[in-house]
Amino acid sequence: MTSRKGNLMSVRSDIKVLDATIRDGGLCNNFEFTDEFVRELYKTNIKSGVDYMEFGYKASKEMFDESDFGKWKFCNEEDIRAIVGDNVSDMKIAVMADVGRCDYKKDFLPKSESVIDMVRVACYIHQIPAAIEMIEYFHELGYETTCNIMAISQANLQQVDEALKMLCGSSVDVIYLVDSYGSLYPENASTLAQTYLAAAESAGKQVGFHAHNNQNLAFANTIETLSYGVSYLDATALGMGRGAGNCAMELLLGFLKNPKYNLYSLLSFIEKYMLPLKEQGVVWGFDLQYMFTGQLNRHPREAMAFTAEGRKDYCDFYKSLLDNF
């Protein structure tokens, strides 16, 4: 096992902060963000020192009807450029491509023609071969790549070892540990992180962490995995994300000691743009129904349905989850 890297007062130059507000937060409002919201978040992230901003998904327009979603479900090149121009900032632009839900050979330009810098390939552990095929394709196009293995809390150790071995033999740049169900605790999050790091470091790759807040542990798990050497850290403004949400960017920027990260601009954005979203009825964040699914290590879809129906019968819901466990 590896030892902790740095301490609470030190600055680590390997740290990269990625804002996933539009992508993960888009799951809360069908990606219906205004251009003003996205443009102001882009400016805020630059002022805050954020390293990457994820604009959304590159979803298949054959599988998903463009009229049913906001534009950030598809991240057309012209839509991103309408916000960022040629992106003359130091911050890099990312998008996510889901295995089986994108037309990657049709919808991606060569990097030389695109303002996108990084493609994050999301998959479940049984989809690793398909993910690697996509990663190699994006690598050839000139993009930075990540592989985000979702729902890792439901994989067994042999599967994890095999997946890491396969990814370490690929061209991927960053391998992400993803707590999709918000079921990890700092102890097992750090153990998994050390397993990822041991494999990745020997192959010259880096490790990222993407947390969900079902048990109010997204921030705790993020800084715990960070302490062992995880360097790519996902966060969102006010923790906005599917269900219980993600690690809150304001917590992460307030924690990191690197003077390049600045909290003030983000607080201003939260006041002007995030709080109105809440007031408009967009729902995310910790609640008991998400705690239940996190504790039981299961997908939050039932808790999301519970939330959408405005239910408050927590006891009956908990019993129903136990009955179907």
Side-chain angles (χ1 to χ4, degrees):
M1 289 294 180
T2 54
S3 58
R4 294 185 194 261
K5 300 201 166 144
N7 57 55
L8 286 172
M9 294 301 294
S10 61
V11 169
R12 290 225 326 257
S13 59
D14 60 307
I15 298 299
K16 305 289 183 193
V17 174
L18 182 142
D19 170 63
T21 306
I22 303 301
R23 202 271 309 164
D24 214 323
L27 297 166
C28 304
N29 70 344
N30 212 31
F31 303 92
E32 300 283 1
F33 296 101
T34 64
D35 280 7
E36 180 189 357
F37 181 100
V38 178
R39 189 172 291 110
E40 289 306 313
L41 179 59
Y42 169 71
K43 292 179 190 172
T44 296
N45 282 329
I46 293 169
K47 290 177 189 170
S48 300
V50 167
D51 300 283
Y52 291 81
M53 178 174 170
E54 188 175 46
F55 271 70
Y57 288 98
K58 273 275 195 184
S60 166
K61 292 169 188 170
E62 292 176 14
M63 291 178 69
F64 302 96
D65 189 331
E66 285 186 88
S67 64
D68 290 340
F69 299 90
K71 65 179 77 168
W72 307 111
K73 175 83 168 176
F74 305 98
C75 285
N76 295 322
E77 184 75 23
E78 60 270 23
D79 290 332
I80 300 177
R81 285 189 181 273
I83 302 296
V84 309
D86 290 329
N87 185 32
V88 295
S89 75
D90 292 333
M91 184 176 71
K92 294 182 177 181
I93 305 299
V95 295
M96 182 165 276
D98 264 348
V99 168
R101 296 182 184 176
C102 65
D103 302 316
Y104 66 95
K105 291 191 174 173
K106 188 168 72 177
D107 288 341
F108 280 86
L109 298 167
K111 168 63 194 108
S112 59
E113 299 169 30
S114 175
V115 76
I116 297 166
D117 299 288
M118 172 188 276
V119 182
R120 304 197 332 148
V121 176
C123 68
Y124 291 102
I125 202 151
H126 65 277
Q127 299 171 316
I128 290 290
I132 289 174
E133 184 177 291
M134 289 170 63
I135 285 160
E136 297 302 339
Y137 181 79
F138 295 134
H139 178 75
E140 286 299 311
L141 288 183
Y143 293 101
E144 295 176 38
T145 58
T146 79
C147 184
N148 295 35
I149 312 173
M150 300 182 288
I152 202 65
S153 57
Q154 292 208 325
N156 64 48
L157 290 178
Q158 184 180 352
Q159 288 176 309
V160 172
D161 286 341
E162 285 296 327
L164 291 173
K165 189 184 298 182
M166 293 168 75
L167 286 168
C168 286
S170 79
S171 300
V172 76
D173 297 300
V174 187
I175 305 170
Y176 258 89
L177 170 57
V178 183
D179 184 17
S180 303
Y181 299 168
S183 63
L184 295 181
Y185 299 96
E187 291 83 355
N188 53 1
S190 65
T191 299
L192 274 168
Q194 290 171 74
T195 300
Y196 275 55
L197 286 160
E201 285 172 356
S202 63
K205 304 192 183 298
Q206 291 173 296
V207 176
F209 185 67
H210 179 89
H212 277 265
N213 203 37
N214 296 59
Q215 302 187 82
N216 267 330
L217 289 170
F219 174 58
N221 288 339
T222 298
I223 62 174
E224 180 73 359
T225 58
L226 151 72
S227 77
Y228 283 98
V230 167
S231 48
Y232 280 68
L233 310 173
D234 285 14
T236 60
L238 214 59
M240 186 184 189
R242 185 202 65 195
N246 304 110
C247 175
M249 182 67 79
E250 57 274 17
L251 282 169
L252 185 60
L253 294 187
F255 169 81
L256 293 170
K257 298 300 182 287
N258 191 329
K260 74 170 276 195
Y261 298 119
N262 184 300
L263 188 58
Y264 187 82
S265 296
L266 177 60
L267 297 179
S268 177
F269 179 82
I270 288 171
E271 277 186 36
K272 292 178 185 173
Y273 293 97
M274 298 305 297
L275 297 183
L277 276 189
K278 285 268 192 189
E279 288 159 10
Q280 290 159 22
V282 181
V283 178
W284 73 88
F286 173 80
D287 206 338
L288 290 175
Q289 62 270 30
Y290 295 118
M291 181 189 82
F292 301 152
T293 59
Q295 289 175 340
L296 296 172
N297 189 21
R298 59 202 283 175
H299 195 289
R301 64 174 63 89
E302 295 152 297
M304 291 161 69
F306 178 97
T307 305
E309 292 162 15
R311 290 171 59 185
K312 297 295 178 189
D313 54 327
Y314 296 113
C315 293
D316 285 345
F317 179 62
Y318 186 54
K319 283 189 289 186
S320 74
L321 291 176
L322 293 174
D323 287 343
N324 295 307
F325 190 54

